[in-house]
Amino acid sequence: MASPGTIDTRGSDFARLAHRITEAGLLDRRPVYYAVRMSIAALVYLGCWALFAWVGDSWLQLLVAVVMAVVFTQLGFLAHDLGHRQVFRTRRPSDIAGLIIGNFGVGLGWGWWNTKHNRHHANPNHEDHDPDVSPAVIVWSQDQAANSNGLPRFIAKYQAFWFFPLLTLEAWHLHIASFKALLNPAAKRRRLELTLLVTHFVLYFGLIFTILPVGKALLFLLVHQGLFGFYLGCTFAPNHKGMPVLTKEDKLDFLRKQVLTSRNVRGNLFTDVALGQLNYQIEHHLFPHMPAPNLRRAQPIVERYCAEIGVDYLQTRLLTSYGQALSHLHEVGAELRRR
C-alpha cells in the first residue's frame, strides 16, 4: 500500500462519487426496514429477560448469558445507526431512541459514545485525533510503543497475544467510561442520562441477584459482560486495526483519509448480520448517514470508483482481517521485545 503522506489528493474526487451514490438512491431512508428491525430487537430483548426469569436458579442461565451477549451487541449496532442518523432525519427522535437503547437498554452512555465515535469518524486512525487509537492499554504505532510506560509498555511487547483476552473487559470499560463522562458537570443531558444509566444497572443487578444465588450471579455477569465486550471488539477490530496510522505529517483529502484507513470484510448475509453491516466499513466511513442495508449495494460502486482513480481499496475475509490486525500489533511491539 502506498504511504498515505505521499498520495496526490484532489478534493473533487469525493464529490463525483457522492453524485453516483445519490443517483443510485442509496442515501434514501429505509423506515420499514428499521421499524421491523427495531421491533424484532425489542421483542427479543424482552424475551431474553422473560427467559431468564423462567429458567430461574439453573446453570442453564450461562446459555442465556451467551444469548443476551449477542442481543446486547445487536442493540449496540442499532444505537450506532441511530447515532449516525441513518434511521431518523432529525436529531430529537434519534436521541430519544438512542438514550432508550444505549443508556437504559444496554448500559452505555449515549452522549459520551456518540461524541467519541464522531471524533473517530472525522479522523480515523489518526494518532492525535482518533480516540480509538489512543494508547490506553494497547498501543497502535511504534511511536506510541516507544513512549509507553507502565502497563501499556508491559502489554505492548506481546499485545497481539493479549488483544482478544483483553476484549472480554471491553464492556466493563465502556460502562465505566460512560459513568465517568457523566460525572462531568458540563455533560449534555447529564441528569437524564445518569438516571437512565443508573436505572439500567439497578434493574440489571437487581434481577440477576434476586433470581440467582451469588455464585451463579457472578458467573452469569462474567459470561454475559465478557462475551458482550468480546463480540463488540471482534466486530470493530477488522475495520481499522492494522491499517495505516496517520500523523500530522499526512495530508489527505476526505475520500483518501477514509478509504486508506479502513478495511472491508467480505462475506454473505450471515456476515452482514453478525457484524452489524459494519463489514462495509469503507462505504460507512465515506457515507456515515447511509442506512446500513444500503451499504451492500454501495460497495461495488465505491470499489469500482476507487479503481478508476487509483486509490487502494482493501477487502478481505474475516479471519484474514484479524490476522492483519494482529500482525500489525505484534510488529508495533517488536522494538520493545528486543530491549
Side-chain angles (χ1 to χ4, degrees), residues 84-98:
H84 285 295
R85 297 199 206 174
Q86 296 176 15
V87 184
F88 304 106
R89 290 186 181 278
T90 57
R91 182 181 299 275
R92 183 175 175 79
S94 300
D95 285 349
I96 292 172

Side-chain angles (χ1 to χ4, degrees), residues 33 37 74 77 80-81 231 234-240 262-285 292-293 295-297 299 313-318 321-322:
Y33 166 85
R37 183 176 165 188
Q74 288 292 326
F77 294 152
H80 168 271
D81 292 3
Y231 184 5
C234 284
T235 61
F236 297 149
N239 300 339
H240 304 281
S262 303
R263 176 197 295 111
N264 273 17
V265 172
R266 186 182 296 111
N268 49 34
L269 182 59
F270 175 80
T271 308
D272 291 358
V273 173
L275 298 182
Q277 297 169 104
L278 295 175
N279 46 314
Y280 303 105
Q281 191 67 194
I282 294 173
E283 289 70 34
H284 171 58
H285 261 258
L295 293 170
R296 171 182 278 271
R297 292 169 54 202
Q299 187 276 324
Y313 179 104
L314 181 59
Q315 184 169 230
T316 69
R317 293 289 181 184
L318 183 60
S321 73
Y322 290 140

